[in-house]
Amino acid sequence: LPIMPALAVLVGLRWSAIPVRWLRLSAVPLVVAAVGMLAFLVVLRLGRGGVALDVPLILLLPPLVGAVVALHAVHTRGLAPRLFHAAVFLVFLSIAAAAAPLEGEAGRYDAATIEAVAGRTVHVPSTVRSRHERHRFLLPGADVKGYWRKSEEAPRRLYAEGAILALVGRVGAEVAPADAEVLGRRVDLRTRQTPEEILDLVLHQNLDVILQQEIIVRRREAPDSSEDR
């Protein structure tokens, strides 16, 4: 990563010397990415796969324009050097547009949930990259701690102790234990899909591959001292 700025300068200085055919080939993944983001937004808007989120029509514009620009860069030899930068920018904009529905009400905890956990310890799934840190923004006022996401024993132990914790599962599925009090829920993105899951997404529009629900629960009979756990 430290060499990226220097590499960008070198590419910029030698931009005119890069063969056009390489730019046209490099634009192909941009077409695929833009079309993929467009398809994702359309599937979300139509509510396929049991998941329906609010997707304003304006969000379809960046990937649509990005796909058109990238296609022109692939098929029009003379325009490839001029359109390539625009296509890259539009693809990044398309990724932002695809993530935008999860930045709204569906992807955030409501005020009641934030108030319910304020001043308390909330245990959330984490990985080696400390992904639980983002919950400090999602749950302001709560003492956020992470537990190893792949562990089956950790959430069971925390739940048995009466701690407040977040659980993840399929959207629409019943994730909470039968004796749990659900304090809040939201929709989140999944990561690290397998090739089989990606194929399932492409062929069957199975949004469970990339979307999951996250709920905050505690045992109903848990004592009020849970904020100290």
Side-chain angles (χ1 to χ4, degrees):
L1 291 179
I3 69 169
M4 293 306 295
L7 182 61
V9 171
L10 289 176
V11 171
L13 291 174
R14 300 289 297 172
W15 185 254
S16 59
I18 298 177
V20 174
R21 66 177 179 272
W22 289 112
L23 293 178
R24 295 173 67 187
L25 286 174
S26 299
V28 173
L30 300 180
V31 176
V32 175
V35 171
M37 295 302 103
L38 179 61
F40 174 67
L41 287 169
V42 170
V43 170
L44 277 185
R45 183 175 175 83
L46 295 177
R48 296 287 298 274
V51 181
L53 298 178
D54 182 24
V55 181
L57 286 175
I58 190 66
L59 292 180
L60 302 180
L61 191 59
L64 181 60
V65 176
V68 172
V69 171
L71 276 172
H72 273 289
V74 172
H75 291 288
T76 310
R77 179 182 178 86
L79 293 178
R82 297 177 178 85
L83 294 180
F84 187 82
H85 294 91
V88 171
F89 173 77
L90 286 166
V91 166
F92 277 110
L93 199 60
S94 301
I95 296 173
L102 296 177
E103 292 299 324
E105 293 183 2
R108 297 181 182 273
Y109 290 111
D110 58 24
T113 303
I114 294 174
E115 182 179 356
V117 301
R120 302 186 175 214
T121 297
V122 181
H123 301 264
V124 299
S126 186
T127 64
V128 292
R129 295 182 296 174
S130 298
R131 291 192 64 192
H132 66 281
E133 294 292 343
R134 60 181 175 159
H135 285 75
R136 301 187 191 280
F137 300 95
L138 293 169
L139 298 169
D143 179 21
V144 176
K145 295 183 179 180
Y147 67 83
W148 182 237
R149 178 167 186 159
K150 296 183 179 180
S151 171
E152 295 183 0
E153 188 274 335
R156 284 200 297 263
R157 175 179 54 81
L158 290 168
Y159 184 75
E161 293 174 353
I164 300 175
L165 71 155
L167 302 174
V168 295
R170 291 179 53 192
V171 177
E174 189 54 56
V175 179
D179 60 343
E181 176 187 2
V182 178
L183 302 178
R185 66 180 70 233
R186 71 186 186 96
V187 179
D188 194 15
L189 284 173
R190 281 188 58 200
T191 58
R192 300 181 180 273
Q193 287 80 8
T194 64
E196 292 77 15
E197 288 178 325
I198 294 174
L199 185 62
D200 187 29
L201 172 66
V202 173
L203 296 181
H204 305 108
Q205 295 84 51
N206 181 10
L207 293 184
D208 287 332
V209 172
I210 51 178
L211 294 179
Q212 63 185 6
Q213 69 168 327
E214 179 182 276
I215 63 172
I216 296 180
V217 301
R218 67 177 173 186
R219 284 172 49 200
R220 292 187 185 278
E221 66 272 21
D224 291 338
S225 60
S226 59
E227 64 266 22
D228 299 324
R229 294 183 183 273

